Amino acid sequence: MADFPHCRVATWAEIDRLADAVAEKVLSAGRRPETIVGLTRGGWVPARLLADRLAVKRVYSLRAQHWGVTATPSGKAEVTEGVSGPVEGQRVLVVDDITDTGESLELALERVREGRPARAETASFLHISHSKFRPNYFGEEIPKESWVWVVFPWNYWEDLASLAERARAVDPDHVRAVLRDRCGWDVPSEHLEELARWSARR
Ligand code: AMP
């Protein structure tokens, strides 16, 4: 039987609260950046939400790849596309959605430092306590004993598709039962119908 991760579905309201919490910590530390670098793809929305709260106009991206399909690490993390703009002399905040092994954010920070910024710090919305890299700021810490696969709103359909496929069931009710029992994810049946419509057209 395939492996299924325990899942926690993050709502937009929770994401908003996490963005508030991280922005609050950055401002309380008196460390407002002038440039934000968001890791693609998970750190893009967090980067944008922080840029809004911190009034940062310059947002760059950096592409890091680590985890393959949902909850399956694809080996070593690597930076496959560097920072999209110059950071020399700037105060930079590098942002991701979650630090799990922490390898992606650690590598991204190294890459940003090569561009000789005046300062480079890191933030993630969620931080799992076993991560070997601890960001300067995070919104919430998840104890390692409570490891969970977080279904972020920006990864919802991708996670649903890959877990539904892993369930190897044709009947949607069976897929729902597997996701509920194995992942703790109570998927509304309309979402499986919607997924089937998306999948048929791409
Ligand atoms: P990592 O290098 O292990 O810290 O994680 C790299 C990326 O994989 C993160 O930015 C997330 O997009 C994704 N990821 C890793 N672990 C999780 C998790 N437990 N839940 C959701 N996404 C995750």
Side-chain angles (χ1 to χ4, degrees), residues 6 8 39-43 64-67 71 73 77 96-106 126 128 131 142 147-152 154-155 159:
H6 190 68
R8 160 176 160 189
L39 270 63
T40 74
R41 292 169 298 158
Q65 287 177 283
H66 193 189
W67 295 68
D96 206 357
D97 49 5
I98 185 166
T99 29
D100 190 332
T101 66
E103 281 177 33
S104 305
L105 198 50
E106 186 175 34
L126 292 165
I128 302 192
S131 169
I142 299 176
W147 184 92
V148 70
W149 183 261
V150 181
V151 179
F152 290 105
W154 44 88
N155 222 56
D159 286 339

Side-chain angles (χ1 to χ4, degrees), residues 111-140:
R111 183 59 75 93
V112 166
R113 283 197 171 132
E114 286 169 14
R116 295 197 302 271
R119 180 176 84 207
E121 293 191 307
T122 53
S124 64
F125 275 19
L126 292 165
H127 172 65
I128 302 192
S129 66
H130 62 192
S131 169
K132 66 178 181 130
F133 178 80
R134 193 175 172 87
N136 298 93
Y137 314 99
F138 49 84
E140 179 194 324

Side-chain angles (χ1 to χ4, degrees), residues 60-187:
Y60 292 153
S61 71
L62 175 153
R63 186 174 183 207
Q65 287 177 283
H66 193 189
W67 295 68
V69 290
T70 302
T72 315
S74 60
K76 253 180 89 59
E78 44 177 343
V79 170
T80 51
E81 279 163 46
V83 194
S84 61
V87 293
E88 188 167 353
Q90 296 167 31
R91 297 185 308 274
V92 178
L93 183 66
V94 190
V95 176
D96 206 357
D97 49 5
I98 185 166
T99 29
D100 190 332
T101 66
E103 281 177 33
S104 305
L105 198 50
E106 186 175 34
L107 266 184
L109 176 63
E110 270 171 30
R111 183 59 75 93
V112 166
R113 283 197 171 132
E114 286 169 14
R116 295 197 302 271
R119 180 176 84 207
E121 293 191 307
T122 53
S124 64
F125 275 19
L126 292 165
H127 172 65
I128 302 192
S129 66
H130 62 192
S131 169
K132 66 178 181 130
F133 178 80
R134 193 175 172 87
N136 298 93
Y137 314 99
F138 49 84
E140 179 194 324
E141 177 158 347
I142 299 176
K144 63 177 190 291
E145 310 74 43
S146 312
W147 184 92
V148 70
W149 183 261
V150 181
V151 179
F152 290 105
W154 44 88
N155 222 56
Y156 187 92
W157 298 103
E158 185 173 317
D159 286 339
L160 185 56
S162 72
L163 292 173
E165 190 183 314
R166 216 174 289 179
R168 287 206 192 90
V170 186
D171 171 17
D173 287 337
H174 188 197
V175 174
R176 283 189 71 224
V178 172
L179 294 188
R180 190 185 52 234
D181 299 344
R182 304 289 301 275
C183 306
W185 182 357
D186 203 1
V187 182

